[in-house]
Amino acid sequence: MASEQRDERQRWLDRPENVTKIVRTLWVACAALVLAEFFYHKHPYFGFDGSFAFYAIFGFAAYCVIVFSAKGLRRLIKRDEDYYNE
């Protein structure tokens, strides 16, 4: 009976304009963080980590490696749809 009494009102993230606001806010925050690098002195441990936007680029590259390796790993370990029915 609980499934018959579901609350079907529209949530905040169901509206596309709110999702667009979140994405734009994220872009602005990322741009502000990259631009903030002009206003502080870096103390790099290695030579290359003192370059402009190094950590932003490194983070994005690490994200891409994780996503693409997960896609490749999925091909190796996925099972057929009827795996448990055999």
Side-chain angles (χ1 to χ4, degrees):
M1 283 204 180
S3 63
E4 295 174 6
Q5 298 175 357
R6 286 189 176 164
D7 188 14
E8 295 296 329
R9 57 189 168 142
Q10 192 175 22
R11 303 287 182 197
W12 186 71
L13 288 175
D14 290 337
R15 298 171 55 195
E17 61 269 9
N18 291 334
V19 175
T20 304
K21 288 177 189 176
I22 291 173
V23 170
R24 287 184 180 158
T25 303
L26 182 62
W27 276 106
V28 168
C30 289
L33 288 172
V34 169
L35 290 175
E37 288 196 21
F38 288 118
F39 301 107
Y40 67 90
H41 178 69
K42 299 176 189 156
H43 300 281
Y45 188 76
F46 301 104
F48 56 85
D49 62 342
S51 61
F52 179 73
F54 170 76
Y55 290 106
I57 294 167
F58 181 76
F60 182 73
Y63 165 77
C64 290
V65 166
I66 290 171
V67 168
F68 290 128
S69 64
K71 285 186 175 191
L73 185 62
R74 182 178 181 268
R75 289 189 182 108
L76 291 174
I77 63 173
K78 77 175 183 178
R79 304 283 185 199
D80 292 333
E81 290 181 19
D82 59 347
Y83 175 74
Y84 291 107
N85 291 335
E86 291 178 355

